[in-house]
């Protein structure tokens, strides 16, 4: 039990490291004044360019994937439900980071990392496909409201896959999905509401 709790805690701590915020501070950039004020890779990208944006995006992805992948590959944690809870803990660490007084980012990249470990790239490929289609439809850039709609739409399209996997023995995926979607919805609901009201 203590090992499992330790893995969950370490994953939370990994998720709570706000790389975009740290990079922005080093570059003396205030991300709270960029676009919607989110301390994430997308706003860092807008503030200082794609090179730093991609770096932060990659680091956010890794913090959701790498520690968990190590724990699983070394057999430190074997129970799928514990793995799902640890994955969710990493997402929560990013969304409610102690570094930012439990405010945190929108948790999309770190969620991709967690899903990569849980589904061996299947879920990220589905989400990425929806995001790409939306980008093709809207090629000249998107507002925060449109981004929120894209993310929520991707998660809704992911649900049939999760239900299918759950009926075939991977019920732990549904547990992670429920928690992950709740966090994603909470972090995007204001922009989503703005989109639905036609304020994009």
């Amino acid at each position: 039990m203590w090992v499992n709790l330790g893995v969950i805690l370490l994953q939370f701590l990994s998720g709570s490291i706000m790389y975009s915020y740290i990079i922005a501070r080093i570059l003396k950039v205030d991300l709270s004044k960029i676009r919607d004020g989110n301390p994430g890779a997308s706003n860092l990208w807008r503030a200082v360019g794609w090179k730093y944006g991609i770096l932060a995006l990659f680091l956010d992805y890794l913090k959701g994937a790498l520690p968990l992948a190590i724990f699983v590959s070394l057999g430190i944690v074997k129970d799928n439900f514990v793995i799902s809870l640890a994955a969710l803990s990493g997402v929560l660490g990013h969304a409610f980071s102690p570094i930012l007084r439990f405010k945190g980012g929108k948790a999309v990249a770190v969620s991709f990392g967690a899903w990569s470990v849980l589904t061996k790239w299947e879920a990220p490929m589905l989400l990425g496909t929806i995001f790409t289609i939306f980008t093709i439809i809207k090629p000249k850039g998107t507002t925060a409201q449109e981004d929120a709609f894209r993310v929520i739409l991707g998660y809704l399209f992911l649900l049939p896959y999760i239900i299918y996997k759950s009926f075939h023995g991977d019920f732990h995926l549904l547990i992670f999905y429920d928690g992950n979607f709740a966090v994603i919805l909470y972090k995007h609901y204001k922009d989503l509401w703005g989109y639905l009201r036609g304020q994009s």
Side-chain angles (χ1 to χ4, degrees), residues 67-177:
L68 190 61
I70 292 173
F71 296 142
V72 172
S73 63
L74 293 179
I76 296 173
V77 58
K78 299 178 181 179
D79 188 295
N80 284 333
F81 291 97
V82 174
I83 294 170
S84 289
L85 289 176
L88 182 58
S89 181
V91 173
L92 290 170
H94 179 88
F96 307 101
S97 174
I99 293 177
L100 297 179
R101 299 180 181 179
F102 298 98
K103 292 183 179 180
K106 293 186 175 179
V108 176
V110 68
S111 295
F112 263 71
W115 279 118
S116 295
V117 177
L118 291 174
T119 65
K120 297 180 180 178
W121 289 92
E122 290 179 356
M125 287 179 63
L126 289 171
L127 286 171
T129 298
I130 299 300
F131 293 175
T132 301
I133 291 173
F134 193 92
T135 301
I136 292 172
I137 295 173
K138 186 77 175 181
K140 295 184 179 181
T142 56
T143 64
Q145 291 79 12
E146 289 168 337
D147 284 345
F149 176 75
R150 176 179 62 178
V151 171
I152 299 303
L153 185 65
Y155 269 81
L156 291 176
F157 273 95
L158 182 62
L159 182 57
Y161 162 82
I162 299 301
I163 293 175
Y164 171 82
K165 297 290 285 187
S166 297
F167 274 111
H168 288 78
D170 292 328
F171 186 76
H172 63 285
L173 295 181
L174 184 59
I175 293 175
F176 176 73
Y177 177 89

Side-chain angles (χ1 to χ4, degrees), residues 25-87:
R25 287 293 298 269
I26 293 172
L27 298 175
K28 298 181 179 180
V29 174
D30 186 356
L31 291 180
S32 67
K33 296 180 180 178
I34 307 298
R35 206 191 189 197
D36 57 354
N38 176 54
S42 61
N43 277 353
L44 183 67
W45 188 316
R46 290 177 175 86
V48 296
W50 66 270
K51 292 181 180 179
Y52 287 108
I54 288 180
L55 173 62
L57 192 68
F58 180 65
L59 291 172
D60 282 348
Y61 172 86
L62 281 183
K63 71 184 185 181
L66 188 58
L68 190 61
I70 292 173
F71 296 142
V72 172
S73 63
L74 293 179
I76 296 173
V77 58
K78 299 178 181 179
D79 188 295
N80 284 333
F81 291 97
V82 174
I83 294 170
S84 289
L85 289 176

Side-chain angles (χ1 to χ4, degrees), residues 145-146 148-149 188-200:
Q145 291 79 12
E146 289 168 337
F149 176 75
H188 290 83
Y189 80 91
K190 289 182 180 179
D191 290 329
L192 178 63
W193 180 242
Y195 179 87
L196 295 176
R197 294 181 64 189
Q199 296 177 358
S200 59

